[in-house]
C-alpha cells in the first residue's frame, strides 16, 4: 500500500521501495499538505508552516517550485495498485488527494481510536495498538525545523506516549507486562518528563519482579523533574512509589482514572447519567475527539468552567459526536452527566425553555421541590451552587442560540458544558470564552468506513465500487450514510449497486435518503434549518440551488437574487451562521451536494422567477468577464452582449492584476456557467462567455479548457444559426488546437473561420484569423506561407482602422522574416511595430515585439542588444500574468547570456524559467532542465539558440 510517512523521515513509501521527496524545505511543504490530506491548504498556511510567520521574500516563488516538483513525484504513483496520490490546485489552496489512512499519522490515530472501543477484547486491542506503534519509525517530521514542525512533533509525541501507555496496560491484563518494559524504557528515554510513561514502566517492572529497577526509575524521574521544572512527581507516580516501597500488591494495569476532583469531600446525593445510547459503529472524527480530549487534563480542575460549542450543518453528526465523546469520557465526570435536547430546530417550533430544563436538572440531583425557588435567575443560581464542588458533564444538544444556553452553563471549575448547534455560537466565544469547533462532513475514507462498519466486511467487500459511489453521492453526510446503510441492512439481498444507482439520479436523490421517520429523512432534517431562516435568506438559499459552480461570492449572489451587494452579504452571513452555507475561504461560500439538491428542489417548487434569476446570474458573470478581459489587453473577439438585466451588479476589477485574480478565482465557476447556459438554452451567453475566457486560457496555458469551452460554444452557435458566433468559436478552436500541437486540426478550423468572416465582411475577424494561420504555418516550418498570412493581416487591420492589432501583425511579419534568416528586416519591422503601437495600450503585442527583436539581435551576434530586448519582454509578460511566455522568454534570455559567456546570468534566468515551466507542468521543463545541467559545462560557442515556434 502506498504510504505517506511523517512519523519518522518524511518520505513516500511504495511497495518494495521509497521515493525521496527531496531537500528539507520540499519535505516540509509535503508534510504541511499531508497533515491535512484530502482538504485544501491555502498557500499562506503552507508558507507559515514551512517558513514561519516572517517568511523570506522568495518564499512564495519557492513554494510554487516545490509544488511543481511534488506534482511530478505524485505522478510516479500512478501505476501503484489502489488509490494513487495526486496534488491538485483548488480554490481553497493546494489539496493532496489520497485515502486518509495512507498518511501514517492518520492511520495511527485511526488504529488507536479503534483500540479504545469499550467492548473490544484485549487481544484485539493489543494487536491494533501494536500496529499503531509500529508506524513510528523515528523522530516525527525527521530533519524538519521551524516552530510549526516543533509544535506538531511535540503534539504527536504526546499521542505516541498515550498510545504506548494504553498498550502497556493491555499487555499487563494479558499477563505479559514484561513485553512493555523495553518500549516504555526507550520512550521514557526520549520523553523523560512524561509521568504516565514513568508510572507505566514502574508498574511493568514491579509486575516482572524487578522492583529495584522500578524504584531507580522513580528516583531518576524525580531528579529530572526537580532539576528541569522545579516540581515534584504527581500524585499518581508518588502513590505507585509508596506502594512499591511498602511491598504491597500493585495492579499492573489500573483503569484510566478521572482527573482528580477538588478536595471538597465525598460526593453527595444521586449521580445522574442522562446521556442517550451511543451510536453503534461510530467512525472517524479522530481529530475532533482529540480536540475535545484536551479539555480533560488535570490542569483544568482548578480552571474556570470549560465550554465547547460544536456547530455544523444539519445531519453532520454533531449529536452523535457529543454523545459518543460523553460516554467515552464519563469516568472524568464522576458526579454525573446531564443531557437535554433543546429542540432548537424542531419543526413544531417548540424550543425547550431554559427554566423547564433547569427544573429537570435540579430534579436529576433529587432537589426537593420545596427547595426550588421561583424565577429563572434564582433557579440558575441554585443550579450553579449545586455544581460548585462537583465534576459534571453538561451536554446541551441542538441549541438555537447563545441566549437559550446561558442560564444552563455551570459556573464551577472542573465542570464542562458541551453544546451542539446548527448555528455558530460566536457570542459564547466572546463572552464566555467558549471553544468553537465546526464539524465538517466525513472524508471519503471515513464515509466508506462507516458503511463497512454498518453493513459488514463480507457484504461491502464484494461491491467496493458501489460502496465508494454511495459514500460520494451521500456527500460525506453521516445522516445520509446512516439512512442508506439502514435501507441496505433491511434488504440484505439488494445489491449495493442498485442503491448507488438511486442516489445517482439527481432528481430523486433526497427521496432515496428517506429512513421512514422524520428524524431519518434527510429532507426533513434540512427543512428544520431552512424553516428557521428569514424570508429573504430563505429565498437566497433556494436560488443558490440554481448556481452551477463549486462556490459563490457575495456580488454574484447579489445579482442572482436581485439584491444589493450589501444586502446579499448580510443574507449570506445568516446562511453561514446556520451552517446552510460554509465560507470555505474568505468571501466565497459553498454547500455540500445534498444541500445543493435540497435548495434546487425548493427553487423549482417555490420560485417562479428562477429563469430570470439564472439570466441575472449569467449576465453577472458575462459582463464581469468581458470587463476583466478588456483590462488584460485589447481582446481579439469583439463581443457586444445584450444589456444586463435589471438588478444585476457586475463587478469592476480595478486593474489588470485584479482582473487576472478574478479570472483565477472564478475559473471553475465560469466553466460551469458555460455548461449551465447551454443546458438551459442561453446560447448567446455560451459562446460569449467562452470568448471572454479566451485571453485568460491562453495566458495561463489552459489550452484544454480553451478547447472544451469553444467546442461547447460552436454547438450553441450552430443552434443559434449565428455565423459571427460560429466564426469566433472556430477561430478560438484553431488557436487552441495549434497551441496543443494539432496543426492540421487548427488549419481546418481557421480556414472555416476565414470563410465566415469574409461572408460577414468582418475585416478585423478575418485579420485575426490570418494571424492565427500564420502561426500555424510557422509551427509547421512553412515560413514563406506564414509571411504571406501576416502581410494580409497587416492590410486587413489597416483597412479596419485598428492600429493596435496592425502593430501586432507588423511584428508577425518581422518574426516570419526572422524565420527565413532575414534578421535585419525583422528588426526593422519590429521597430516599426513598436512605433505604430505606441499609446494604443496593447502591452501584449509590445511584449511579443520585444521578443522578436531579441531573437533577431541574438542571431546577429548582438548579445547585449538581445539581452536588453528579452529582458523588456520578460518584464511585460510578467506584468500581464502570462507565465508561459515569461518562462519562454527567460529561457532564451539565458541562452543569450550563455552565448555572451555570462554564465551566472544564464544560470539565473534558466533556473527561473525552469521554475515557471514546472509550476505550469509544461513539457518544456525537461529539455530546459537538461540544458541547465549540460550547457554550463560546455563552451558557449557550442550552444546554438533552439528553434522556436
Amino acid at each position: 500500500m502506498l504510504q505517506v510517512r511523517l512519523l519518522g523521515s518524511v518520505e513516500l513509501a511504495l511497495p518494495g521501495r521509497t521515493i525521496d521527496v527531496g531537500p528539507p524545505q520540499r519535505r516540509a511543504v509535503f508534510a504541511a499538505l499531508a497533515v491535512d490530506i484530502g482538504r485544501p491548504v491555502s498557500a499562506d498556511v503552507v508558507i507559515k508552516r514551512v517558513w514561519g510567520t516572517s517568511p523570506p521574500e522568495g518564499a512564495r516563488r519557492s513554494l510554487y517550485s516545490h509544488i511543481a516538483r511534488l506534482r511530478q513525484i505524485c505522478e510516479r504513483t500512478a501505476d501503484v495498485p489502489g488509490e494513487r496520490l495526486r496534488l491538485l490546485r483548488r480554490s481553497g489552496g493546494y489539496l493532496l488527494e489520497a485515502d486518509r489512512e495512507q498518511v501514517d499519522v492518520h492511520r495511527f490515530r485511526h488504529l488507536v481510536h479503534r483500540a479504545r472501543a469499550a467492548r473490544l477484547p484485549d487481544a484485539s486491542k493489543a494487536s491494533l495498538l501494536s500496529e499503531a506503534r509500529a508506524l513510528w519509525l523515528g523522530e516525527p517530521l525527521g530533519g524538519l525545523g521551524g516552530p510549526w514542525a516543533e509544535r506538531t512533533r511535540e503534539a504527536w509525541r504526546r499521542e505516541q506516549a498515550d498510545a504506548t501507555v494504553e498498550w502497556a496496560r493491555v499487555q499487563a491484563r494479558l499477563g505479559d507486562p514484561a513485553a512493555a518494559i523495553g518500549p516504555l524504557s526507550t520512550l521514557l528515554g526520549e520523553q523523560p518528563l512524561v509521568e504516565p510513561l514513568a508510572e507505566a514502566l514502574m508498574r511493568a517492572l514491579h509486575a516482572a519482579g524487578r522492583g529495584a529497577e522500578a524504584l531507580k526509575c522513580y528516583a531518576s524521574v524525580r531528579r529530572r523533574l526537580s532539576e528541569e521544572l522545579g516540581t515534584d512527581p504527581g500524585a499518581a507516580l508518588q502513590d505507585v512509589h509508596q506502594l512499591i516501597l511498602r511491598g504491597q500488591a500493585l495492579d499492573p494495569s489500573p483503569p484510566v482514572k478521572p482527573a482528580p476532583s477538588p478536595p471538597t469531600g465525598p460526593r453527595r446525593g444521586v449521580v445522574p447519567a442522562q446521556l442517550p445510547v451511543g451510536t453503534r459503529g461510530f467512525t472517524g472524527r479522530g481529530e475532533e475527539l482529540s480536540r475535545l480530549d484536551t479539555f480533560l487534563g488535570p490542569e483544568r480542575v482548578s480552571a474556570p468552567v470549560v465550554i465547547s460549542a460544536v456547530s455544523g450543518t444539519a445531519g453532520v453528526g454533531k449529536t452523535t459526536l457529543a454523545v459518543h465523546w460523553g460516554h467515552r469520557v464519563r469516568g472524568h465526570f464522576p458526579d454525573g452527566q446531564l443531557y437535554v435536547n433543546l429542540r432548537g430546530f424542531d419543526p413544531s417550533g417548540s424550543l425547550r425553555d431554559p427554566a423547564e430544563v433547569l427544573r429537570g436538572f435540579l430534579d436529576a440531583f433529587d432537589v426537593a421541590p420545596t427547595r426550588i425557588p421561583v424565577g429563572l435567575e434564582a433557579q440558575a443560581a441554585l443550579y450553579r451552587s449545586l455544581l460548585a464542588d462537583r465534576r459534571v458533564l453538561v451536554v446541551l444538544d441542538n441549541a438555537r442560540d447563545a441566549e437559550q444556553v446561558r442560564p444552563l452553563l455551570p459556573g464551577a471549575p472542573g465542570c464542562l458544558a458541551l453544546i451542539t448547534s446548527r448555528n455558530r455560537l460566536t457570542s459564547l466565544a466572546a463572552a464566555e470564552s467558549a471553544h468553537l469547533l465546526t464539524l465538517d462532513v466525513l472524508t471519503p475514507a471515513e464515509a466508506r468506513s462507516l458503511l463497512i462498519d454498518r453493513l459488514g466486511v463480507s457484504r461491502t467487500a464484494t461491491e467496493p465500487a458501489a460502496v465508494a459511489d454511495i459514500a460520494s453521492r451521500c456527500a460525506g453526510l453521516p445522516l445520509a450514510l446512516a439512512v442508506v446503510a439502514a435501507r441496505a441492512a433491511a434488504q440484505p439481498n439488494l445489491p449495493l449497486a442498485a442503491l448507488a444507482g438511486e442516489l445517482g439520479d439527481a432528481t430523486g436523490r433526497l427521496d432515496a435518503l428517506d429512513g421512514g421517520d422524520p428524524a431519518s429523512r434527510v429532507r426533513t432534517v434540512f427543512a428544520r434549518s431552512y424553516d428557521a431562516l428569514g424570508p429573504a435568506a430563505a429565498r437566497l438559499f433556494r436560488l443558490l440551488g440554481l448556481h452551477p459552480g463549486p462556490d459563490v461570492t457575495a456580488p454574484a449572489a447579489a445579482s442572482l437574487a436581485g439584491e444589493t451587494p450589501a444586502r446579499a452579504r448580510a443574507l449570506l452571513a445568516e446562511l453561514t451562521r446556520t451552517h446552510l452555507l460554509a465560507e470555505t475561504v474568505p468571501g466565497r461560500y459553498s454547500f455540500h451536494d445534498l444541500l445543493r439538491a435540497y435548495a434546487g428542489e425548493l427553487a423549482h417548487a417555490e420560485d417562479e422567477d428562477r429563469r430570470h434569476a439564472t439570466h441575472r446570474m449569467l449576465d453577472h458573470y458575462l459582463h464581469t468577464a468581458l470587463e476583466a478581459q478588456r483590462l488584460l489587453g485589447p481582446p481579439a473577439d469583439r463581443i457586444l452582449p445584450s444589456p444586463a438585466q435589471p438588478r444585476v451588479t457586475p463587478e469592476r476589477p480595478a486593474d489588470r492584476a485584479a482582473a487576472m485574480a478574478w479570472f483565477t478565482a472564478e475559473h471553475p465557476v465560469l466553466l460551469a456557467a458555460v455548461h449551465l447556459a447551454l443546458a438551459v438554452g442561453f446560447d448567446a451567453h455560451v459562446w460569449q462567455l467562452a470568448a471572454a475566457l479566451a485571453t485568460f486560457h491562453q495566458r495561463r496555458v489552459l489550452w484544454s479548457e480553451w478547447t472544451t469551452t469553444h467546442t461547447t460554444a460552436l454547438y450553441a452557435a450552430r443552434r443559434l444559426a449565428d455565423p459571427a458566433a460560429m466564426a469566433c468559436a472556430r477561430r478560438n478552436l484553431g488557436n487552441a488546437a495549434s497551441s496543443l500541437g494539432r496543426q492540421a486540426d487548427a488549419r481546418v478550423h481557421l480556414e472555416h473561420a476565414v470563410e465566415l468572416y469574409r461572408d460577414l465582411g468582418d475585416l478585423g475577424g478575418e485579420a485575426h484569423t490570418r494571424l492565427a494561420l500564420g502561426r500555424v504555418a510557422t509551427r509547421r516550418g512553412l515560413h514563406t506561407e506564414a509571411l504571406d498570412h501576416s502581410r494580409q493581416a497587416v492590410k486587413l487591420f489597416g483597412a479596419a482602422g485598428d492600429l493596435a492589432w496592425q502593430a501586432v501583425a507588423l511584428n508577425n511579419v518581422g518574426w516570419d522574416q526572422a524565420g527565413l534568416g532575414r534578421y535585419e528586416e525583422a528588426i526593422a519591422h519590429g521597430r516599426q511595430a513598436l512605433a505604430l503601437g505606441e499609446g494604443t495600450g496593447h502591452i501584449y503585442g509590445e511584449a511579443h515585439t520585444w521578443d522578436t527583436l531579441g531573437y533577431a539581435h541574438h542571431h546577429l551576434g548582438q548579445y547585449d542588444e538581445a539581452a536588453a530586448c528579452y529582458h523588456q519582454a520578460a518584464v511585460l509578460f510578467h506584468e500581464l500574468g502570462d507565465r508561459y511566455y515569461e518562462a519562454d522568454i527567460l529561457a532564451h534570455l539565458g541562452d543569450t547570456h550563455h552565448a555572451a559567456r555570462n554564465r551566472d546570468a544564464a544560470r539565473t534566468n534558466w533556473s527561473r524559467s525552469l521554475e515557471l515551466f514546472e509550476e505550469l507542468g509544461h513539457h518544456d521543463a525537461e529539455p530546459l532542465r537538461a540544458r541547465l545541467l549540460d550547457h554550463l559545462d560546455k563552451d558557449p560557442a557550442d550552444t546554438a539558440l533552439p528553434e522556436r515556434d
Side-chain angles (χ1 to χ4, degrees), residues 170-213:
V170 174
Q171 290 297 128
R173 291 200 297 271
L174 291 171
D176 190 14
I181 293 174
L184 286 169
S185 299
T186 301
L187 203 54
L188 185 61
E190 297 170 356
Q191 304 179 52
L193 302 179
V194 178
E195 293 187 50
L197 283 174
E199 180 189 347
L201 178 56
M202 289 173 67
R203 289 180 179 277
L205 288 167
H206 182 70
R210 296 158 63 176
E213 291 179 56

Side-chain angles (χ1 to χ4, degrees), residues 675-693:
H675 294 291
L676 172 67
L678 183 72
V680 297
F682 287 95
D683 290 331
H685 287 78
V686 174
W687 76 267
Q688 290 173 354
L689 270 170
L693 276 162

Side-chain angles (χ1 to χ4, degrees), residues 651-669:
E651 297 169 70
R652 305 291 179 192
D655 51 29
R656 187 184 304 114
M660 187 62 80
W662 184 85
F663 271 122
T664 301
E666 297 292 352
H667 185 242
V669 178

Side-chain angles (χ1 to χ4, degrees), residues 156-304:
W156 290 356
R157 281 197 171 282
R158 286 197 296 270
E159 294 183 51
Q160 180 192 23
D162 290 344
T164 304
V165 168
E166 287 187 50
W167 170 77
R169 288 171 176 156
V170 174
Q171 290 297 128
R173 291 200 297 271
L174 291 171
D176 190 14
I181 293 174
L184 286 169
S185 299
T186 301
L187 203 54
L188 185 61
E190 297 170 356
Q191 304 179 52
L193 302 179
V194 178
E195 293 187 50
L197 283 174
E199 180 189 347
L201 178 56
M202 289 173 67
R203 289 180 179 277
L205 288 167
H206 182 70
R210 296 158 63 176
E213 291 179 56
L215 296 174
K216 184 178 180 182
C217 172
Y218 177 82
S220 174
V221 172
R222 180 181 182 183
R223 184 177 61 256
R224 293 289 293 267
L225 288 169
S226 176
E227 291 174 353
E228 298 187 27
L229 301 180
T231 63
D232 291 324
L237 204 56
Q238 291 186 40
D239 289 346
V240 171
H241 179 238
Q242 289 299 315
L243 288 170
I244 295 173
L245 284 175
R246 291 196 294 267
Q248 292 180 248
L250 191 66
D251 182 356
S253 177
V256 178
K257 293 182 179 179
S261 300
T264 56
R267 299 201 308 269
R268 302 184 305 277
V270 298
V271 178
Q274 297 183 340
L275 292 174
V277 175
T279 301
R280 183 180 69 84
F282 182 89
T283 298
R285 306 304 192 193
E287 292 185 18
E288 291 83 359
L289 290 168
S290 295
R291 282 188 60 183
L292 292 173
D293 284 346
T294 62
F295 303 136
L296 301 176
E299 69 277 5
R300 296 289 184 181
V301 173
S302 59

